[in-house]
Amino acid sequence: MSSGKGGPRWTQTWLGGAPSAGVDLGEPGERIGLPKSGSGSVASYSRRLVALFLDWVLALLVASLLARSFGWEPAERSMWTTVIFAVYAWLSIAFVGVTIGKRLCGIHVTRLDGRPVGLGWALARTVLLVLVVPALIWDRDYRGLHDRASNTAVVNI
């Protein structure tokens, strides 16, 4: 039952994930035809989170400026921040595949088949992103459910 290295084998496998059980899952993006590193490789979690934070701050700034102009209460400003973020992310990804935050972090959204993301797929991706939970469920290629649903991946520029 014990492996001799600090506890039962099943705890080491569970805590260490599939690689500790001897399973080779490959590199992130390998299954979907992306390079291991460099341009076009899967963007890291940290880059994606920083880009999301920057985009959210931008939406918050715009909403704050509008709140002053229109006299919005905090609850209204919060709702409009979400709406501004969603519209900004949707249109930016649909037309250029990148938001300001993603550009600053050196990443962009691309369809796996090489075509532009487009309005429909970008809308589906954005709705799932705004719902938050689908974006938190990632696969081994660092794709959230919002990316899987829209057949996209966030890659390095």
Side-chain angles (χ1 to χ4, degrees):
M1 181 128 175
S2 178
S3 68
K5 292 186 177 181
R9 174 102 173 112
W10 68 269
T11 59
Q12 291 176 0
T13 302
W14 180 73
L15 294 173
S20 66
V23 178
D24 180 18
L25 299 176
E27 294 294 320
E30 183 178 45
R31 291 182 316 146
I32 54 177
L34 300 176
K36 183 176 179 178
S37 62
S39 181
S41 63
V42 175
S44 67
Y45 292 131
S46 58
R47 280 186 173 197
R48 292 180 72 156
L49 290 174
V50 169
L52 178 64
F53 174 77
L54 293 172
D55 290 332
W56 187 258
V57 167
L58 181 62
L60 188 58
L61 290 173
V62 171
S64 293
L65 291 173
L66 291 173
R68 285 187 183 166
S69 298
F70 295 116
W72 293 338
E73 297 296 321
E76 290 175 300
R77 187 181 70 206
S78 180
M79 181 203 58
W80 280 106
T81 300
T82 304
V83 170
I84 291 165
F85 172 81
V87 170
Y88 157 68
W90 171 45
L91 296 176
S92 296
I93 297 303
F95 290 114
V96 292
V98 67
T99 61
I100 292 170
K102 284 180 175 45
R103 183 68 175 158
L104 290 172
C105 290
I107 59 179
H108 71 101
V109 178
T110 185
R111 289 271 312 262
L112 295 182
D113 59 11
R115 297 189 329 229
V117 177
L119 288 169
W121 289 117
L123 180 61
R125 184 181 190 281
T126 301
V127 167
L128 291 171
L129 177 64
V130 170
L131 291 175
V132 178
V133 173
L136 295 175
I137 302 171
W138 298 56
D139 65 12
R140 67 183 186 207
D141 295 314
Y142 298 171
R143 294 172 65 212
L145 290 180
H146 63 303
D147 285 319
R148 292 180 61 97
S150 59
N151 198 33
T152 61
V154 180
V155 298
N156 295 312
I157 294 177

Short mmCIF file of all heavy atoms in Angstrom, two decimals, residues 47-114:
data_model
loop_
_atom_site.label_atom_id
_atom_site.label_comp_id
_atom_site.label_asym_id
_atom_site.label_seq_id
_atom_site.Cartn_x
_atom_site.Cartn_y
_atom_site.Cartn_z
N ARG A 47 -0.88 34.59 -18.36
CA ARG A 47 -1.08 35.61 -19.39
C ARG A 47 -2.57 35.87 -19.61
O ARG A 47 -3.00 37.00 -19.78
CB ARG A 47 -0.45 35.20 -20.71
CG ARG A 47 1.02 35.44 -20.77
CD ARG A 47 1.51 35.13 -22.16
NE ARG A 47 2.89 35.52 -22.28
CZ ARG A 47 3.52 35.69 -23.41
NH1 ARG A 47 2.87 35.49 -24.55
NH2 ARG A 47 4.77 36.04 -23.45
N ARG A 48 -3.33 34.81 -19.64
CA ARG A 48 -4.76 34.94 -19.87
C ARG A 48 -5.43 35.69 -18.72
O ARG A 48 -6.29 36.54 -18.94
CB ARG A 48 -5.41 33.57 -20.04
CG ARG A 48 -4.98 32.88 -21.32
CD ARG A 48 -5.62 31.54 -21.47
NE ARG A 48 -7.04 31.73 -21.77
CZ ARG A 48 -7.78 30.83 -22.38
NH1 ARG A 48 -7.26 29.68 -22.75
NH2 ARG A 48 -9.05 31.06 -22.62
N LEU A 49 -5.05 35.37 -17.49
CA LEU A 49 -5.65 36.03 -16.33
C LEU A 49 -5.26 37.51 -16.27
O LEU A 49 -6.10 38.36 -15.94
CB LEU A 49 -5.28 35.31 -15.05
CG LEU A 49 -5.92 33.94 -14.88
CD1 LEU A 49 -5.38 33.24 -13.63
CD2 LEU A 49 -7.43 34.04 -14.82
N VAL A 50 -4.02 37.82 -16.57
CA VAL A 50 -3.59 39.23 -16.58
C VAL A 50 -4.35 39.99 -17.67
O VAL A 50 -4.83 41.11 -17.44
CB VAL A 50 -2.06 39.35 -16.76
CG1 VAL A 50 -1.65 40.79 -17.04
CG2 VAL A 50 -1.34 38.82 -15.54
N ALA A 51 -4.50 39.39 -18.85
CA ALA A 51 -5.25 40.04 -19.93
C ALA A 51 -6.70 40.27 -19.52
O ALA A 51 -7.26 41.35 -19.77
CB ALA A 51 -5.18 39.19 -21.20
N LEU A 52 -7.31 39.29 -18.88
CA LEU A 52 -8.69 39.43 -18.42
C LEU A 52 -8.80 40.56 -17.40
O LEU A 52 -9.71 41.39 -17.46
CB LEU A 52 -9.17 38.11 -17.81
CG LEU A 52 -10.59 38.11 -17.23
CD1 LEU A 52 -11.62 38.34 -18.33
CD2 LEU A 52 -10.85 36.79 -16.53
N PHE A 53 -7.86 40.62 -16.49
CA PHE A 53 -7.84 41.68 -15.49
C PHE A 53 -7.73 43.05 -16.15
O PHE A 53 -8.47 43.98 -15.81
CB PHE A 53 -6.68 41.45 -14.50
CG PHE A 53 -6.51 42.57 -13.52
CD1 PHE A 53 -7.37 42.69 -12.43
CD2 PHE A 53 -5.50 43.51 -13.68
CE1 PHE A 53 -7.22 43.73 -11.53
CE2 PHE A 53 -5.35 44.55 -12.78
CZ PHE A 53 -6.21 44.66 -11.70
N LEU A 54 -6.82 43.20 -17.11
CA LEU A 54 -6.65 44.47 -17.81
C LEU A 54 -7.91 44.88 -18.56
O LEU A 54 -8.33 46.05 -18.53
CB LEU A 54 -5.46 44.41 -18.76
CG LEU A 54 -4.08 44.27 -18.11
CD1 LEU A 54 -3.02 44.02 -19.17
CD2 LEU A 54 -3.75 45.49 -17.27
N ASP A 55 -8.54 43.92 -19.22
CA ASP A 55 -9.77 44.21 -19.95
C ASP A 55 -10.90 44.60 -18.99
O ASP A 55 -11.71 45.49 -19.28
CB ASP A 55 -10.19 43.02 -20.81
CG ASP A 55 -9.26 42.82 -21.99
OD1 ASP A 55 -8.67 43.80 -22.46
OD2 ASP A 55 -9.13 41.66 -22.43
N TRP A 56 -10.97 43.94 -17.84
CA TRP A 56 -11.99 44.26 -16.86
C TRP A 56 -11.77 45.67 -16.30
O TRP A 56 -12.72 46.44 -16.13
CB TRP A 56 -12.02 43.23 -15.73
CG TRP A 56 -13.18 43.47 -14.82
CD1 TRP A 56 -13.16 44.06 -13.59
CD2 TRP A 56 -14.55 43.15 -15.09
NE1 TRP A 56 -14.43 44.12 -13.08
CE2 TRP A 56 -15.30 43.58 -13.98
CE3 TRP A 56 -15.20 42.55 -16.16
CZ2 TRP A 56 -16.68 43.43 -13.90
CZ3 TRP A 56 -16.58 42.39 -16.08
CH2 TRP A 56 -17.29 42.83 -14.97
N VAL A 57 -10.52 46.02 -16.02
CA VAL A 57 -10.21 47.36 -15.52
C VAL A 57 -10.60 48.41 -16.55
O VAL A 57 -11.18 49.46 -16.21
CB VAL A 57 -8.71 47.49 -15.13
CG1 VAL A 57 -8.31 48.93 -14.91
CG2 VAL A 57 -8.43 46.65 -13.89
N LEU A 58 -10.35 48.16 -17.81
CA LEU A 58 -10.75 49.08 -18.88
C LEU A 58 -12.27 49.26 -18.89
O LEU A 58 -12.76 50.40 -18.96
CB LEU A 58 -10.26 48.57 -20.23
CG LEU A 58 -10.58 49.44 -21.43
CD1 LEU A 58 -9.93 50.80 -21.32
CD2 LEU A 58 -10.12 48.74 -22.70
N ALA A 59 -13.01 48.17 -18.80
CA ALA A 59 -14.48 48.25 -18.76
C ALA A 59 -14.94 49.00 -17.51
O ALA A 59 -15.89 49.79 -17.58
CB ALA A 59 -15.08 46.85 -18.79
N LEU A 60 -14.26 48.78 -16.41
CA LEU A 60 -14.60 49.47 -15.16
C LEU A 60 -14.37 50.97 -15.29
O LEU A 60 -15.19 51.78 -14.82
CB LEU A 60 -13.78 48.88 -14.02
CG LEU A 60 -14.11 49.33 -12.61
CD1 LEU A 60 -15.54 49.02 -12.25
CD2 LEU A 60 -13.16 48.65 -11.63
N LEU A 61 -13.28 51.36 -15.92
CA LEU A 61 -13.01 52.79 -16.13
C LEU A 61 -14.06 53.44 -17.01
O LEU A 61 -14.54 54.54 -16.71
CB LEU A 61 -11.61 52.97 -16.73
CG LEU A 61 -10.44 52.68 -15.82
CD1 LEU A 61 -9.13 52.72 -16.60
CD2 LEU A 61 -10.40 53.64 -14.64
N VAL A 62 -14.42 52.78 -18.09
CA VAL A 62 -15.46 53.32 -18.98
C VAL A 62 -16.78 53.43 -18.23
O VAL A 62 -17.47 54.46 -18.32
CB VAL A 62 -15.59 52.45 -20.25
CG1 VAL A 62 -16.81 52.86 -21.07
CG2 VAL A 62 -14.33 52.53 -21.09
N ALA A 63 -17.14 52.40 -17.49
CA ALA A 63 -18.39 52.43 -16.73
C ALA A 63 -18.37 53.53 -15.67
O ALA A 63 -19.39 54.18 -15.43
CB ALA A 63 -18.65 51.06 -16.08
N SER A 64 -17.23 53.76 -15.04
CA SER A 64 -17.12 54.81 -14.03
C SER A 64 -17.32 56.19 -14.66
O SER A 64 -18.00 57.05 -14.08
CB SER A 64 -15.76 54.75 -13.34
OG SER A 64 -15.66 53.58 -12.58
N LEU A 65 -16.73 56.40 -15.83
CA LEU A 65 -16.92 57.68 -16.53
C LEU A 65 -18.39 57.88 -16.91
O LEU A 65 -18.95 58.96 -16.74
CB LEU A 65 -16.04 57.74 -17.76
CG LEU A 65 -14.54 57.85 -17.51
CD1 LEU A 65 -13.77 57.72 -18.82
CD2 LEU A 65 -14.20 59.15 -16.81
N LEU A 66 -19.01 56.83 -17.41
CA LEU A 66 -20.43 56.91 -17.77
C LEU A 66 -21.31 57.09 -16.53
O LEU A 66 -22.31 57.80 -16.57
CB LEU A 66 -20.86 55.67 -18.55
CG LEU A 66 -20.25 55.54 -19.96
CD1 LEU A 66 -20.62 54.20 -20.57
CD2 LEU A 66 -20.69 56.69 -20.84
N ALA A 67 -20.93 56.46 -15.43
CA ALA A 67 -21.71 56.57 -14.19
C ALA A 67 -21.73 58.00 -13.71
O ALA A 67 -22.76 58.49 -13.23
CB ALA A 67 -21.12 55.65 -13.13
N ARG A 68 -20.62 58.69 -13.83
CA ARG A 68 -20.58 60.10 -13.44
C ARG A 68 -21.48 60.94 -14.33
O ARG A 68 -22.17 61.84 -13.87
CB ARG A 68 -19.16 60.63 -13.49
CG ARG A 68 -18.31 60.15 -12.37
CD ARG A 68 -16.96 60.81 -12.37
NE ARG A 68 -16.16 60.26 -11.29
CZ ARG A 68 -14.87 60.43 -11.21
NH1 ARG A 68 -14.22 61.13 -12.11
NH2 ARG A 68 -14.21 59.90 -10.20
N SER A 69 -21.45 60.65 -15.62
CA SER A 69 -22.26 61.42 -16.57
C SER A 69 -23.75 61.18 -16.38
O SER A 69 -24.56 62.10 -16.50
CB SER A 69 -21.88 61.05 -18.00
OG SER A 69 -20.53 61.36 -18.25
N PHE A 70 -24.13 59.94 -16.11
CA PHE A 70 -25.55 59.58 -16.03
C PHE A 70 -26.07 59.47 -14.59
O PHE A 70 -27.24 59.18 -14.39
CB PHE A 70 -25.82 58.27 -16.78
CG PHE A 70 -25.58 58.37 -18.25
CD1 PHE A 70 -24.58 57.62 -18.86
CD2 PHE A 70 -26.35 59.21 -19.05
CE1 PHE A 70 -24.36 57.71 -20.22
CE2 PHE A 70 -26.14 59.31 -20.40
CZ PHE A 70 -25.13 58.56 -21.00
N GLY A 71 -25.21 59.63 -13.62
CA GLY A 71 -25.62 59.55 -12.22
C GLY A 71 -26.04 58.16 -11.77
O GLY A 71 -26.95 58.01 -10.97
N TRP A 72 -25.36 57.12 -12.28
CA TRP A 72 -25.71 55.75 -11.91
C TRP A 72 -25.36 55.45 -10.46
O TRP A 72 -24.35 55.90 -9.94
CB TRP A 72 -24.97 54.75 -12.79
CG TRP A 72 -25.38 54.75 -14.23
CD1 TRP A 72 -26.55 55.19 -14.77
CD2 TRP A 72 -24.60 54.27 -15.33
NE1 TRP A 72 -26.55 55.02 -16.12
CE2 TRP A 72 -25.36 54.45 -16.50
CE3 TRP A 72 -23.34 53.71 -15.43
CZ2 TRP A 72 -24.90 54.08 -17.75
CZ3 TRP A 72 -22.88 53.34 -16.68
CH2 TRP A 72 -23.66 53.52 -17.83
N GLU A 73 -26.19 54.65 -9.85
CA GLU A 73 -25.91 54.12 -8.51
C GLU A 73 -24.89 52.99 -8.65
O GLU A 73 -24.69 52.46 -9.75
CB GLU A 73 -27.20 53.58 -7.89
CG GLU A 73 -28.26 54.64 -7.67
CD GLU A 73 -27.83 55.70 -6.67
OE1 GLU A 73 -27.18 55.34 -5.66
OE2 GLU A 73 -28.13 56.89 -6.90
N PRO A 74 -24.25 52.56 -7.55
CA PRO A 74 -23.25 51.49 -7.63
C PRO A 74 -23.76 50.20 -8.29
O PRO A 74 -23.04 49.57 -9.05
CB PRO A 74 -22.87 51.25 -6.18
CG PRO A 74 -23.07 52.58 -5.53
CD PRO A 74 -24.29 53.17 -6.21
N ALA A 75 -25.00 49.81 -8.00
CA ALA A 75 -25.53 48.58 -8.60
C ALA A 75 -25.67 48.72 -10.11
O ALA A 75 -25.36 47.79 -10.86
CB ALA A 75 -26.88 48.23 -7.99
N GLU A 76 -26.12 49.90 -10.55
CA GLU A 76 -26.22 50.14 -12.00
C GLU A 76 -24.84 50.14 -12.65
O GLU A 76 -24.66 49.58 -13.73
CB GLU A 76 -26.90 51.49 -12.27
CG GLU A 76 -28.36 51.53 -11.94
CD GLU A 76 -28.92 52.92 -12.12
OE1 GLU A 76 -28.41 53.85 -11.43
OE2 GLU A 76 -29.83 53.08 -12.96
N ARG A 77 -23.89 50.78 -11.99
CA ARG A 77 -22.53 50.82 -12.53
C ARG A 77 -21.95 49.41 -12.65
O ARG A 77 -21.30 49.07 -13.64
CB ARG A 77 -21.62 51.69 -11.66
CG ARG A 77 -20.25 51.89 -12.32
CD ARG A 77 -19.33 52.71 -11.48
NE ARG A 77 -18.96 51.93 -10.31
CZ ARG A 77 -18.59 52.47 -9.16
NH1 ARG A 77 -18.57 53.77 -9.00
NH2 ARG A 77 -18.25 51.70 -8.16
N SER A 78 -22.21 48.58 -11.67
CA SER A 78 -21.73 47.20 -11.70
C SER A 78 -22.32 46.43 -12.87
O SER A 78 -21.60 45.73 -13.60
CB SER A 78 -22.08 46.51 -10.39
OG SER A 78 -21.63 45.19 -10.39
N MET A 79 -23.62 46.59 -13.08
CA MET A 79 -24.28 45.91 -14.21
C MET A 79 -23.71 46.42 -15.53
O MET A 79 -23.40 45.65 -16.43
CB MET A 79 -25.78 46.13 -14.16
CG MET A 79 -26.50 45.43 -15.31
SD MET A 79 -28.11 46.11 -15.73
CE MET A 79 -27.76 47.78 -16.11
N TRP A 80 -23.57 47.74 -15.64
CA TRP A 80 -23.06 48.32 -16.89
C TRP A 80 -21.60 47.96 -17.14
O TRP A 80 -21.17 47.85 -18.28
CB TRP A 80 -23.30 49.83 -16.93
CG TRP A 80 -24.70 50.13 -17.30
CD1 TRP A 80 -25.71 50.57 -16.48
CD2 TRP A 80 -25.29 49.95 -18.59
NE1 TRP A 80 -26.88 50.69 -17.19
CE2 TRP A 80 -26.65 50.32 -18.49
CE3 TRP A 80 -24.81 49.52 -19.82
CZ2 TRP A 80 -27.53 50.27 -19.56
CZ3 TRP A 80 -25.68 49.48 -20.90
CH2 TRP A 80 -27.01 49.84 -20.76
N THR A 81 -20.83 47.77 -16.09
CA THR A 81 -19.44 47.32 -16.27
C THR A 81 -19.43 45.96 -16.96
O THR A 81 -18.66 45.73 -17.89
CB THR A 81 -18.71 47.22 -14.91
OG1 THR A 81 -18.69 48.50 -14.30
CG2 THR A 81 -17.29 46.72 -15.08
N THR A 82 -20.31 45.07 -16.52
CA THR A 82 -20.41 43.75 -17.14
C THR A 82 -20.86 43.85 -18.60
O THR A 82 -20.29 43.19 -19.48
CB THR A 82 -21.36 42.84 -16.34
OG1 THR A 82 -20.92 42.78 -14.99
CG2 THR A 82 -21.42 41.44 -16.93
N VAL A 83 -21.84 44.69 -18.85
CA VAL A 83 -22.34 44.87 -20.23
C VAL A 83 -21.25 45.46 -21.12
O VAL A 83 -21.02 44.98 -22.24
CB VAL A 83 -23.61 45.76 -20.24
CG1 VAL A 83 -23.99 46.15 -21.66
CG2 VAL A 83 -24.75 45.05 -19.54
N ILE A 84 -20.56 46.48 -20.63
CA ILE A 84 -19.48 47.11 -21.40
C ILE A 84 -18.38 46.10 -21.69
O ILE A 84 -17.89 46.00 -22.81
CB ILE A 84 -18.94 48.35 -20.66
CG1 ILE A 84 -20.01 49.45 -20.68
CG2 ILE A 84 -17.64 48.83 -21.27
CD1 ILE A 84 -19.74 50.58 -19.70
N PHE A 85 -17.99 45.33 -20.66
CA PHE A 85 -16.96 44.31 -20.86
C PHE A 85 -17.40 43.30 -21.91
O PHE A 85 -16.63 42.94 -22.81
CB PHE A 85 -16.66 43.59 -19.54
CG PHE A 85 -15.76 42.40 -19.72
CD1 PHE A 85 -14.39 42.57 -19.83
CD2 PHE A 85 -16.28 41.12 -19.80
CE1 PHE A 85 -13.55 41.48 -20.02
CE2 PHE A 85 -15.46 40.03 -19.99
CZ PHE A 85 -14.09 40.21 -20.10
N ALA A 86 -18.64 42.83 -21.82
CA ALA A 86 -19.13 41.80 -22.74
C ALA A 86 -19.16 42.31 -24.18
O ALA A 86 -18.69 41.62 -25.10
CB ALA A 86 -20.52 41.33 -22.32
N VAL A 87 -19.68 43.50 -24.39
CA VAL A 87 -19.75 44.05 -25.75
C VAL A 87 -18.35 44.30 -26.30
O VAL A 87 -18.05 43.97 -27.45
CB VAL A 87 -20.61 45.34 -25.78
CG1 VAL A 87 -20.51 46.04 -27.12
CG2 VAL A 87 -22.06 45.00 -25.45
N TYR A 88 -17.49 44.86 -25.48
CA TYR A 88 -16.10 45.12 -25.87
C TYR A 88 -15.38 43.82 -26.25
O TYR A 88 -14.73 43.72 -27.29
CB TYR A 88 -15.40 45.86 -24.73
CG TYR A 88 -13.91 45.75 -24.69
CD1 TYR A 88 -13.11 46.34 -25.66
CD2 TYR A 88 -13.28 45.07 -23.65
CE1 TYR A 88 -11.73 46.25 -25.59
CE2 TYR A 88 -11.92 44.98 -23.58
CZ TYR A 88 -11.14 45.56 -24.56
OH TYR A 88 -9.78 45.46 -24.49
N ALA A 89 -15.49 42.81 -25.38
CA ALA A 89 -14.82 41.53 -25.65
C ALA A 89 -15.41 40.87 -26.90
O ALA A 89 -14.67 40.36 -27.75
CB ALA A 89 -14.95 40.61 -24.45
N TRP A 90 -16.72 40.88 -27.02
CA TRP A 90 -17.39 40.26 -28.16
C TRP A 90 -16.93 40.88 -29.48
O TRP A 90 -16.48 40.17 -30.39
CB TRP A 90 -18.90 40.40 -28.00
CG TRP A 90 -19.71 40.00 -29.19
CD1 TRP A 90 -19.54 38.89 -29.97
CD2 TRP A 90 -20.82 40.70 -29.75
NE1 TRP A 90 -20.49 38.86 -30.97
CE2 TRP A 90 -21.28 39.96 -30.85
CE3 TRP A 90 -21.47 41.87 -29.40
CZ2 TRP A 90 -22.37 40.37 -31.62
CZ3 TRP A 90 -22.56 42.26 -30.16
CH2 TRP A 90 -23.00 41.51 -31.26
N LEU A 91 -17.02 42.19 -29.60
CA LEU A 91 -16.68 42.85 -30.86
C LEU A 91 -15.18 42.79 -31.15
O LEU A 91 -14.77 42.59 -32.30
CB LEU A 91 -17.19 44.28 -30.86
CG LEU A 91 -18.72 44.42 -30.80
CD1 LEU A 91 -19.12 45.88 -30.71
CD2 LEU A 91 -19.38 43.74 -31.99
N SER A 92 -14.36 42.94 -30.13
CA SER A 92 -12.90 42.88 -30.33
C SER A 92 -12.46 41.51 -30.82
O SER A 92 -11.68 41.39 -31.77
CB SER A 92 -12.17 43.20 -29.02
OG SER A 92 -12.43 44.51 -28.62
N ILE A 93 -12.97 40.46 -30.19
CA ILE A 93 -12.60 39.10 -30.58
C ILE A 93 -13.19 38.77 -31.95
O ILE A 93 -12.54 38.16 -32.79
CB ILE A 93 -13.06 38.08 -29.52
CG1 ILE A 93 -12.35 38.32 -28.19
CG2 ILE A 93 -12.84 36.65 -30.00
CD1 ILE A 93 -10.84 38.28 -28.23
N ALA A 94 -14.42 39.21 -32.20
CA ALA A 94 -15.06 38.91 -33.49
C ALA A 94 -14.32 39.53 -34.66
O ALA A 94 -14.14 38.89 -35.70
CB ALA A 94 -16.51 39.41 -33.47
N PHE A 95 -13.89 40.77 -34.52
CA PHE A 95 -13.31 41.47 -35.66
C PHE A 95 -11.79 41.40 -35.76
O PHE A 95 -11.26 41.35 -36.86
CB PHE A 95 -13.76 42.94 -35.66
CG PHE A 95 -15.21 43.08 -36.00
CD1 PHE A 95 -16.11 43.56 -35.06
CD2 PHE A 95 -15.69 42.73 -37.25
CE1 PHE A 95 -17.46 43.69 -35.37
CE2 PHE A 95 -17.04 42.84 -37.57
CZ PHE A 95 -17.92 43.33 -36.63
N VAL A 96 -11.09 41.39 -34.63
CA VAL A 96 -9.62 41.37 -34.70
C VAL A 96 -8.98 40.24 -33.91
O VAL A 96 -7.77 40.05 -33.98
CB VAL A 96 -9.00 42.73 -34.29
CG1 VAL A 96 -9.33 43.80 -35.30
CG2 VAL A 96 -9.44 43.16 -32.90
N GLY A 97 -9.78 39.49 -33.14
CA GLY A 97 -9.24 38.34 -32.41
C GLY A 97 -8.43 38.70 -31.18
O GLY A 97 -7.77 37.84 -30.60
N VAL A 98 -8.46 39.97 -30.79
CA VAL A 98 -7.65 40.40 -29.66
C VAL A 98 -8.32 41.59 -28.97
O VAL A 98 -8.98 42.40 -29.62
CB VAL A 98 -6.22 40.76 -30.13
CG1 VAL A 98 -6.20 41.98 -31.01
CG2 VAL A 98 -5.26 40.92 -29.00
N THR A 99 -8.19 41.63 -27.65
CA THR A 99 -8.62 42.79 -26.88
C THR A 99 -7.37 43.58 -26.51
O THR A 99 -6.25 43.11 -26.72
CB THR A 99 -9.35 42.37 -25.60
OG1 THR A 99 -8.45 41.60 -24.80
CG2 THR A 99 -10.61 41.57 -25.90
N ILE A 100 -7.54 44.73 -25.92
CA ILE A 100 -6.37 45.52 -25.50
C ILE A 100 -5.55 44.75 -24.48
O ILE A 100 -4.32 44.68 -24.57
CB ILE A 100 -6.81 46.90 -24.96
CG1 ILE A 100 -7.38 47.74 -26.11
CG2 ILE A 100 -5.64 47.62 -24.29
CD1 ILE A 100 -8.06 49.02 -25.68
N GLY A 101 -6.22 44.12 -23.51
CA GLY A 101 -5.51 43.34 -22.50
C GLY A 101 -4.74 42.17 -23.12
O GLY A 101 -3.59 41.91 -22.76
N LYS A 102 -5.37 41.47 -24.05
CA LYS A 102 -4.69 40.35 -24.71
C LYS A 102 -3.49 40.85 -25.51
O LYS A 102 -2.42 40.23 -25.53
CB LYS A 102 -5.66 39.59 -25.60
CG LYS A 102 -6.61 38.68 -24.83
CD LYS A 102 -7.55 37.95 -25.76
CE LYS A 102 -8.43 36.95 -25.06
NZ LYS A 102 -9.05 37.38 -23.83
N ARG A 103 -3.66 41.98 -26.20
CA ARG A 103 -2.56 42.54 -27.00
C ARG A 103 -1.37 42.89 -26.11
O ARG A 103 -0.23 42.59 -26.45
CB ARG A 103 -3.05 43.77 -27.76
CG ARG A 103 -2.02 44.36 -28.66
CD ARG A 103 -1.76 43.40 -29.78
NE ARG A 103 -0.86 44.01 -30.72
CZ ARG A 103 -0.13 43.33 -31.57
NH1 ARG A 103 -0.22 42.02 -31.62
NH2 ARG A 103 0.66 43.93 -32.39
N LEU A 104 -1.66 43.53 -24.97
CA LEU A 104 -0.58 43.90 -24.05
C LEU A 104 0.13 42.66 -23.48
O LEU A 104 1.31 42.72 -23.15
CB LEU A 104 -1.13 44.76 -22.91
CG LEU A 104 -1.57 46.17 -23.29
CD1 LEU A 104 -2.27 46.86 -22.12
CD2 LEU A 104 -0.39 47.00 -23.78
N CYS A 105 -0.60 41.55 -23.38
CA CYS A 105 -0.01 40.31 -22.85
C CYS A 105 0.56 39.42 -23.95
O CYS A 105 1.09 38.34 -23.67
CB CYS A 105 -1.06 39.55 -22.05
SG CYS A 105 -1.49 40.37 -20.50
N GLY A 106 0.45 39.85 -25.20
CA GLY A 106 1.03 39.09 -26.30
C GLY A 106 0.27 37.83 -26.67
O GLY A 106 0.88 36.84 -27.08
N ILE A 107 -1.05 37.86 -26.53
CA ILE A 107 -1.86 36.69 -26.87
C ILE A 107 -3.04 37.11 -27.73
O ILE A 107 -3.39 38.29 -27.79
CB ILE A 107 -2.35 35.95 -25.60
CG1 ILE A 107 -3.20 36.86 -24.71
CG2 ILE A 107 -1.17 35.38 -24.82
CD1 ILE A 107 -3.76 36.20 -23.46
N HIS A 108 -3.65 36.15 -28.40
CA HIS A 108 -4.86 36.42 -29.17
C HIS A 108 -5.71 35.16 -29.29
O HIS A 108 -5.25 34.06 -29.02
CB HIS A 108 -4.54 37.02 -30.54
CG HIS A 108 -3.93 36.06 -31.50
ND1 HIS A 108 -4.64 35.46 -32.50
CD2 HIS A 108 -2.66 35.60 -31.63
CE1 HIS A 108 -3.83 34.67 -33.20
NE2 HIS A 108 -2.63 34.75 -32.68
N VAL A 109 -6.97 35.37 -29.70
CA VAL A 109 -7.91 34.26 -29.85
C VAL A 109 -7.93 33.86 -31.32
O VAL A 109 -8.01 34.72 -32.20
CB VAL A 109 -9.32 34.66 -29.39
CG1 VAL A 109 -10.30 33.51 -29.60
CG2 VAL A 109 -9.30 35.09 -27.93
N THR A 110 -7.86 32.57 -31.57
CA THR A 110 -7.89 32.08 -32.94
C THR A 110 -8.81 30.87 -33.05
O THR A 110 -8.93 30.11 -32.09
CB THR A 110 -6.46 31.73 -33.43
OG1 THR A 110 -6.51 31.38 -34.79
CG2 THR A 110 -5.86 30.60 -32.63
N ARG A 111 -9.44 30.72 -34.17
CA ARG A 111 -10.23 29.51 -34.43
C ARG A 111 -9.26 28.38 -34.77
O ARG A 111 -8.23 28.60 -35.41
CB ARG A 111 -11.18 29.71 -35.61
CG ARG A 111 -12.35 30.62 -35.36
CD ARG A 111 -13.58 29.92 -34.81
NE ARG A 111 -13.97 28.74 -35.52
CZ ARG A 111 -14.91 28.68 -36.44
NH1 ARG A 111 -15.57 29.75 -36.79
NH2 ARG A 111 -15.21 27.53 -37.02
N LEU A 112 -9.60 27.17 -34.39
CA LEU A 112 -8.72 26.04 -34.66
C LEU A 112 -8.64 25.71 -36.15
O LEU A 112 -7.64 25.16 -36.60
CB LEU A 112 -9.18 24.81 -33.88
CG LEU A 112 -9.08 24.94 -32.35
CD1 LEU A 112 -9.52 23.65 -31.69
CD2 LEU A 112 -7.68 25.31 -31.93
N ASP A 113 -9.67 26.07 -36.91
CA ASP A 113 -9.64 25.80 -38.34
C ASP A 113 -9.00 26.93 -39.14
O ASP A 113 -8.96 26.90 -40.37
CB ASP A 113 -11.05 25.51 -38.86
CG ASP A 113 -12.03 26.65 -38.62
OD1 ASP A 113 -11.60 27.76 -38.25
OD2 ASP A 113 -13.25 26.42 -38.80
N GLY A 114 -8.50 27.97 -38.44
CA GLY A 114 -7.79 29.05 -39.11
C GLY A 114 -8.67 30.19 -39.62
O GLY A 114 -8.16 31.22 -40.03
#
